[in-house]
Amino acid sequence: MINKIGVLTSGGDAPGMNAAIRGVTRYAIQKGLTVEGIIRGYEGLLSHETRPLGRRDVGAIIHRGGTMLRTARCLEFKEKETQKKAAAYLRELEIDALVVIGGDGSMRGAQALSRWGIPTITIPGTIDNDMMGTQYTLGFDTAVNTVLESVNKIRDTAFSHDRVAVIEVMGREAGFIALNAGMASGAEAVLVPEHPVDLAALCRHLEESHRMKKLSSIVIVAEGAAKGADVVDYIKEHTYLSPNLTVLGYVQRGGAPSAYDAIMAGRFAQKAVDSLLAGTYNCVVGLIDNRVVATPYSEAEALRYPIDENLLSLVHLLGR
């Protein structure tokens, strides 16, 4: 029987994490549970940094970026002895189940704790949108809109000076941000880590567009596909075009969550708490075919959702 739950955020921060903390806390309290917040993720379990969370403790955070519980990357949590100590501390606090908000690494930590007898459930929170068991992760929509706003401003300068604007965005393993921002902004080209980068083909594409009277171009590069600086250097060396580089960096992680991210945070929180109360443990909450579901970790590993190849082709077709 679940009487008390813990909640933590881990790994890279993402817009919507605070909204998820608020949702978990208030919904759990409404269901008669008590809630303990763990500070700085798994590191906080090892350093014993926790605080009780009530309704007022999570007030006025739904619109804030980052995470009120802080976050950290804890490499030592990969060690079994460390996991055992964390599980023992959760039992000492009389926490019956743990809600983890974060990405793939955070979920692996939750899986480890479940093997030590701690019921866990993961809410996906990462701007990269690349977690197993879900087609959507908290923070992704906000990150895409942040990139879109920046690209629209950069395009003004690119147009004014007849330039090729190369914009490097986050996405080490997946190109979701680059692809969706590219489609929404009307980019001429998008480079994603899912495909080998052919810079010669990119140059031909840009030159063909410019022969069709296009005076400026936008190229969005996911960091895992290529370094933006290398792309700029190659274009300079092999074409007559004038490229420049903007690296957006951590601006993509910050800021208030979009309406969609804030709404999904509440829906994911509700599903997480309801699942625990129903005795459905050791799962990842996710959005699959527009339904919020809880999928066991063992099954979620087979559910990886790739980028939309048709959308990638469409970006380049419409960008000429």
Side-chain angles (χ1 to χ4, degrees), residues 110-156:
Q111 287 177 282
L113 286 172
S114 71
R115 290 191 287 270
W116 288 101
I118 301 296
T120 68
I121 196 157
T122 301
I123 292 176
T126 170
I127 65 170
D128 290 334
N129 201 47
D130 62 347
M131 282 182 66
M132 62 186 186
T134 184
Q135 293 169 309
Y136 178 80
T137 62
L138 297 181
F140 172 63
D141 186 67
T142 307
V144 169
N145 279 286
T146 297
V147 172
L148 176 61
E149 181 180 3
S150 298
V151 171
N152 287 340
K153 292 178 179 179
I154 292 167
R155 187 183 282 281
D156 292 342

Side-chain angles (χ1 to χ4, degrees), residues 250-272:
Y250 285 118
V251 68
Q252 296 160 86
R253 281 190 183 172
S258 65
Y260 188 69
D261 272 330
I263 291 167
M264 291 308 301
R267 293 183 66 192
F268 283 177
Q270 180 185 41
K271 186 65 176 181

Side-chain angles (χ1 to χ4, degrees), residues 2-7 24 28 33-36 95 97 99 273 276:
I2 302 293
N3 294 304
K4 183 179 181 181
I5 64 171
V7 59
V24 167
L33 307 179
T34 56
V35 182
E36 190 80 10
I95 289 175
V99 177
V273 174
L276 290 174

